[in-house]
Amino acid sequence: MSISTAAGVFDAVAAGPPDGRPVLLLHGFPQTGLAWQRQIAALAAEGYRVVAPDQRGYSPRVRPERAEDYRIGVLVADVVAITEALGWPTFDLAGHDWGGAVAWWTAAGHPGRVRTLTVVSTPHPGALAEALRSDDDQRARSQYMKDWRDAPATEHRMLADDARLLRSLYGDKVPRASTDAYVRHLTRPGALTGALNWYRSGRPDGEIGAVEVPTLYVWSTGDTAFGPGPARETARWVDGPYRFEILPDLGHWIPEEAPETLSRLLLDHLRAHGGRNQHAPLTVDETGRH
């Protein structure tokens, strides 16, 4: 489906009954909304209305060239604009990787609109900022974020030799068909630069506070990007009901590495806060772009 906003038209994957309880899923780098395909199917089968947009830089019709147009405040404004275009005054929100960061900021800034929050892998930005100041382990894990600010050298390295470096980021944890789809998407003109501009946009405009909405945070012990320090400290940044789930021996790509486990946790969280979905279970009604 396509979602028209003042910023441009976002491509998205959608499923479930149009009047189902709305859930927005935000992907990270270097993926698209298809990263959530197993969760989309699971939630839609339970009657939820699920939308997973390709975010700014990934959607070709929302791909500004300037890095400053990818500041976190702009990314949050995209979430607000997308949900307004969908006619969702309130919604459940989930995000992974960079999508998780956007989800944290959205929930902190718009608690009246976000019914529940689920974040996969990414610690609360406040906990991560503290770790980057005092935790040598997390500083080492996050060094790549600085390295990738080098443009256009990073694009050249990632796309050289049939995108060998880009493909290596997924390892053997992401299904080959999904890896091929992501690489095809990101090798199109301007796509990888748009995705990397998230790392090049500069510091946030302000500070983030504690999150008040019911929150599920899912982290895996094998995550190479986010260590145990900020993961455990995230609890101090949630004032609402909080559940921290640790998945042992998994890597960074939880939605695709452990789709059934994550879908179960997400459904449990949605049912625990806001009641069970009132719509009868349905099969997926649309998955793909038009």
Side-chain angles (χ1 to χ4, degrees), residues 96-259:
H96 171 248
D97 187 78
W98 257 114
V102 176
W104 282 116
W105 280 91
T106 302
H110 301 273
R113 297 200 61 196
V114 178
R115 182 184 291 108
T116 69
L117 174 66
T118 299
V119 178
V120 184
S121 302
T122 314
H124 185 284
L128 181 59
E130 288 182 354
L132 290 173
R133 289 191 293 268
S134 61
D135 185 337
D136 289 339
D137 172 69
Q138 186 57 53
R139 279 199 292 266
R141 291 172 187 261
S142 297
Q143 179 59 41
Y144 73 93
M145 296 185 184
K146 296 181 179 179
D147 297 340
W148 289 353
R149 294 173 188 167
D150 187 11
T154 303
E155 286 90 328
H156 293 159
R157 288 197 305 271
M158 287 190 175
L159 297 179
D161 192 19
D162 190 29
R164 181 175 58 85
L165 178 57
L166 178 59
R167 289 180 181 276
S168 72
L169 299 179
Y170 310 101
D172 59 356
K173 304 298 185 182
V174 175
R176 178 59 183 269
S178 296
T179 294
D180 290 344
Y182 300 144
V183 171
R184 282 195 303 271
H185 189 92
L186 291 169
T187 52
R188 293 167 182 159
L192 185 56
T193 295
L196 287 167
N197 275 343
W198 289 52
Y199 295 94
R200 298 165 176 164
S201 62
R203 295 181 178 275
D205 298 330
E207 295 185 357
I208 186 173
V211 169
E212 300 174 1
V213 303
T215 299
L216 167 66
Y217 176 39
V218 183
W219 174 78
S220 49
T221 60
D223 195 312
T224 56
F226 302 112
R232 296 188 182 279
E233 284 298 303
T234 288
R236 297 197 305 107
W237 291 86
V238 181
D239 288 342
Y242 181 63
R243 180 178 178 182
F244 179 31
E245 285 287 337
I246 300 175
L247 303 184
D249 304 322
L250 292 178
H252 181 69
W253 312 104
I254 293 174
E256 290 161 307
E257 286 186 67

Side-chain angles (χ1 to χ4, degrees), residues 9 30 34 42 53 88 91 124 136 140 161 163 167 187 232 255 259 263 267 285-286:
V9 180
L34 288 174
W88 294 356
F91 56 96
H124 185 284
D136 289 339
D161 192 19
R167 289 180 181 276
T187 52
R232 296 188 182 279
S263 295
L267 281 166
D285 66 340
E286 51 177 310

